Amino acid sequence: MFCVVSGLLTAAEREREGEREMRIQLSGTSITQPDGEALQSRTYDRSKMKRRQGDTMSNIYESAATTLGLFNSPCLTKVELRVACKGISDRDALSKPDPCVVLKMQSHGQWFEVDRTEIIRSSIGPVFSKIFLVDYYFEEVQRLRFELHDISSSHNGLKEADFLGAMECTLGQIVSQRKLSKALLKQGNTAGKSSITVTAEELSGNDDYVELAFSARKLDDKDFFSKSDPFLEIFRVNDDGTASLVHRTECIVWDWDSNGKHDFIGEFQTTFKEMKPVMDGKLIQWECINPKYQVKKKNYRNSGMVILTLFKIIKMHSFLDYIMGGCQIQFTVAIDFTASNGDPRNSCSLHYIHPYQPNEYLKALVAVGEICQDYDSDKMFPAFGFGAQIPPDFKVSHDFAVNFDEDNPECAGIQGVIEAYQNCLPRIQLYGPTNIAPIIQKVANSASEEMHTKEAMEYFILLILTDGVITDMADTREAIVHASHLPMSVIIVGIGSADFSDMQMLDGDDGILRSPKGEPVLRDIVQFVPFRNFKHASPAALAKSVLAEVPNQVVDYYNGKGIKPKGLSDFESSRAFSP
């Protein structure tokens, strides 16, 4: 008989894995399919590979975690920051400066030193060997400050050092550009001739996985009246000698029985290193040995042969792989202008513009937009409204441009969106109903164009701010199911005190969202939160809640489509070998 079984093993720690044993057992039961029919299954084991950290690296949270107290959730990844400076002015005619860069991070409005480079003597263009290792969070604004100081050879402290300039930015700005160069500002924020360049590189674990396919021949029959129904179990042999089950196929080299009493056929052991020659086309096979038969039967040779027919290493790309490869986050905002918000001229209205206190719409917009803007190079954001009667004919629209320029609905930066929102309120009549399917479809049309490029260039995030339960639920479900096939995520923030319980069904965390026709979403792309849950929290808490899932949504889409980050060769993306 011939049976193909396949599974996935982690390629992490390959150097160790090359020597680590893998125990594979086979069993079987009666089969009804003809010989040669393939049985396949997959599983993922994403163990992380820890990269060695040199003496020059320093985790900033080892030196400042207690002081900062910034993050409670696990970081998305770690980023290495390398620093170089140019054009530093001489201290005087007789000597050159001894530069050192101090890295600070902002927490609760204050700057805290978290690490510093080495001092390079007599240099006006230092390239520092020190590497800052920073925890990266997509859903948070991480403000950094790089200060350049001239520390004389007589002392190493900062108190007596000369301040040469500073540069402030966010970590998001650095990783989105990969290399950020800016002028160093002196006291009074005046720019001199000196500049600083910060280069980012992701310090990632190894999420690659290995796909293996096996076939078997001449296996022992375990049933009197029919052939065995073999299945395969793959175990990882741990450092302490114990074995951990990694994968079980539909049939193992056990003989599967419906009563659960599977008949053991045999086993063999191998290593990652032993299987690698399949990459060069070499035939790799093992004798399937039943230890009991080996002891009892004098002429026992084996219980069949198992052949490795496929060995495929598949690269799993990370969120920062795509961002650093040039993928832009296209941020779009849609604002609810239905009558249930109340008259904007009334201080009780959710749209009331207070001279000193922003309303909930503005708070949510700024909290989320401030994160996303770092990943969009032109900082131009489309802004739409829905549920209002708009000039000149005052017909109800569910996808009008807030700046009233239908040909170019983009606003310059988040501040531009705020100004367009404030300027449009006196010109429209709040009405209804609350339909959001049209705006989802509008953004989906743009995302569809991106999908057809088959490149990781633009990923779309739609932020919908609404004060009530939507009235076109069926159309919205249909639109979301369609959008789940596109490079797109939808964030919905419920404004005000309405009952949003029906909105939870759009967020697939508690189950699979389906269209009215029963079609399930391909990916979970919707995140819904009521703003009132964060009314007494900082804006950062809201942004963290709604944006935390976006990196995985980006990765799931592009990896699912087999789209690799720009700049990576096909060899880096995937290697498949069969004998």
Side-chain angles (χ1 to χ4, degrees), residues 422-439:
Q422 293 175 332
N423 292 335
C424 106
L425 280 171
R427 302 175 59 185
I428 61 174
Q429 179 63 50
L430 274 60
Y431 206 72
T434 309
N435 293 348
I436 66 172
I439 191 63

Side-chain angles (χ1 to χ4, degrees), residues 231-420:
F231 64 98
L232 191 71
E233 283 184 343
I234 300 176
F235 293 84
R236 173 175 175 162
V237 180
N238 302 317
D239 292 334
D240 60 0
T242 61
S244 301
L245 180 64
V246 173
H247 181 67
R248 177 184 291 116
T249 68
E250 283 91 342
C251 331
I252 141 179
V253 190
W254 291 84
D255 181 15
W256 186 91
D257 282 316
S258 58
N259 61 10
K261 297 180 179 179
H262 309 309
D263 301 309
F264 178 72
I265 295 176
E267 67 181 18
F268 64 92
Q269 293 191 10
T270 185
T271 64
F272 188 90
K273 182 178 181 180
E274 185 181 356
M275 292 186 287
K276 286 183 69 174
V278 173
M279 298 164 68
D280 301 319
K282 183 179 179 180
L283 176 66
I284 302 294
Q285 61 182 6
W286 301 270
E287 289 185 307
C288 187
I289 302 297
N290 188 321
K292 290 184 178 179
Y293 289 177
Q294 200 173 31
V295 173
K296 293 181 179 179
K297 297 182 179 181
K298 292 183 179 180
N299 298 324
Y300 176 78
R301 295 183 59 185
N302 58 60
S303 295
M305 302 295 295
V306 177
I307 303 98
L308 179 62
T309 61
L310 175 68
F311 187 94
K312 185 176 183 181
I313 301 174
I314 300 175
K315 175 70 176 177
M316 297 297 292
H317 302 294
S318 71
F319 175 69
L320 284 187
D321 284 337
Y322 290 104
I323 294 299
M324 291 181 173
C327 183
Q328 297 278 297
I329 298 295
Q330 297 296 331
F331 176 64
T332 302
V333 61
I335 302 173
D336 183 339
F337 289 107
T338 56
S340 55
N341 284 279
D343 188 339
R345 295 169 295 184
N346 190 314
S347 61
C348 295
S349 170
L350 294 172
H351 281 305
Y352 179 69
I353 303 300
H354 192 281
Y356 307 111
Q357 180 66 33
N359 61 36
E360 291 185 5
Y361 279 96
L362 289 175
K363 287 179 180 178
L365 167 61
V366 172
V368 178
E370 192 177 32
I371 303 291
C372 295
Q373 68 178 351
D374 285 343
Y375 303 88
D376 188 336
S377 59
D378 65 6
K379 304 292 188 289
M380 299 296 291
F381 307 118
F384 298 97
F386 58 92
Q389 295 175 324
I390 63 174
D393 54 8
F394 284 90
K395 290 183 178 179
V396 176
S397 174
H398 296 291
D399 58 354
F400 66 92
V402 174
N403 64 2
F404 296 105
D405 186 347
E406 297 299 332
D407 295 328
N408 183 19
E410 294 185 332
C411 304
I414 299 302
Q415 184 59 36
V417 176
I418 293 172
E419 292 172 359

